[in-house]
Amino acid sequence: MKILLIIGIVVVSIFTAVQIGSLYVSKKTEQQPYSLVRKQQKFEIRYYPEAVMATVVSDGNAYRQDANNNFRRLANFIFGGNTEAQQIAMTAPVHMESNDKGSVMSFVMPADMSLESLPKPKDASVSLHKAPAGYFAALRFGGFAPEEVIQEKINELQALLQQEGLRTLGGFRYLGYNAPFEVVGRRNEILVEIAYDEAAGLEP
């Protein structure tokens, strides 16, 4: 019994240390910048400036489908799988989308890197491109986000935008901010571009 208690204490201690370390790393990770335009009770309207993205597309009709494989391909690119064998810093969040092209995942490149300064991916399935600036609605939630939760939150944001009379301009994205092993303080968001006039505070 005493041995089991000791093992339990060790396991809990290791788990706690990993979570504390993960929180520290998360806080140090560069995050995609945006400006808060308007805060509603359950969602936000944000302005995102232009950003450089690394993107992969695979067959699939769900946000989580092929997510592990897509992540590996993008991680390989930033961890040296490029023409310069250059290490590129990981940023947050990871963007996921499901559309008529398939299952899409994107990493945001660090703000100090441009499309011209980035090394070219060795994997031809990884494409580099600029994501244009725009206004987006964001719904934030915690915990883990399996496919059914993502769909539930998309429906919730869609209903909120309809109530406000705000028109969407594209597909809904899932944004993930944490590593899979992080349990404490998880952050998830649903993001969608909207037609918005900041000066009037209304749809143009």
Side-chain angles (χ1 to χ4, degrees):
M1 195 72 176
K2 189 175 180 181
I3 294 175
L4 289 176
L5 179 60
I6 293 171
I7 292 173
I9 291 171
V10 170
V11 170
V12 170
S13 299
I14 293 172
F15 174 80
T16 302
V18 169
Q19 296 307 310
I20 292 172
S22 296
L23 283 172
Y24 177 79
V25 171
S26 293
K27 287 183 178 180
K28 292 291 185 180
T29 301
E30 179 183 334
Q31 294 192 2
Q32 183 179 10
Y34 64 82
S35 300
L36 179 60
V37 175
R38 181 171 141 197
K39 189 171 180 63
Q40 299 294 98
Q41 186 176 1
K42 294 186 177 180
F43 72 96
E44 295 178 348
I45 294 176
R46 303 169 179 173
Y47 174 78
Y48 280 86
E50 184 179 79
V52 178
M53 302 273 202
T55 296
V56 292
V57 181
S58 61
D59 294 335
N61 56 4
Y63 287 81
R64 289 293 189 184
Q65 193 166 349
D66 291 335
N68 290 337
N69 183 49
N70 290 344
F71 189 92
R72 280 195 296 270
R73 287 190 284 168
L74 288 170
N76 179 64
F77 163 64
I78 68 170
F79 294 146
N82 53 67
T83 53
E84 304 297 326
Q86 181 178 345
Q87 297 283 321
I88 301 168
M90 183 74 190
T91 68
V94 174
H95 290 237
M96 295 186 208
E97 192 171 351
S98 179
N99 56 37
D100 56 358
K101 294 180 181 178
S103 181
V104 184
M105 181 179 286
S106 298
F107 284 4
V108 183
M109 295 294 96
D112 62 354
M113 302 193 80
S114 66
L115 202 56
E116 293 73 29
S117 66
L118 278 166
K120 300 295 181 280
K122 285 186 176 179
D123 184 346
S125 69
V126 178
S127 64
L128 303 177
H129 62 98
K130 287 182 181 179
Y135 291 93
F136 293 79
L139 175 69
R140 182 170 174 170
F141 60 101
F144 287 91
E147 191 72 27
E148 58 271 21
V149 172
I150 292 174
Q151 291 298 334
E152 176 187 318
K153 295 300 180 179
I154 287 173
N155 294 338
E156 182 180 345
L157 180 56
Q158 200 164 28
L160 291 168
L161 295 176
Q162 288 174 352
Q163 290 173 15
E164 295 291 328
L166 293 167
R167 180 167 55 89
T168 59
L169 297 179
F172 289 81
R173 304 178 199 172
Y174 164 70
L175 308 187
Y177 286 79
N178 306 89
F181 54 81
E182 292 180 35
V183 176
V184 179
R186 293 189 68 82
R187 177 181 177 183
N188 312 281
E189 291 174 344
I190 301 299
L191 193 76
V192 65
E193 188 172 9
I194 58 172
Y196 188 80
D197 183 341
E198 186 174 353
L202 299 169
E203 180 185 356

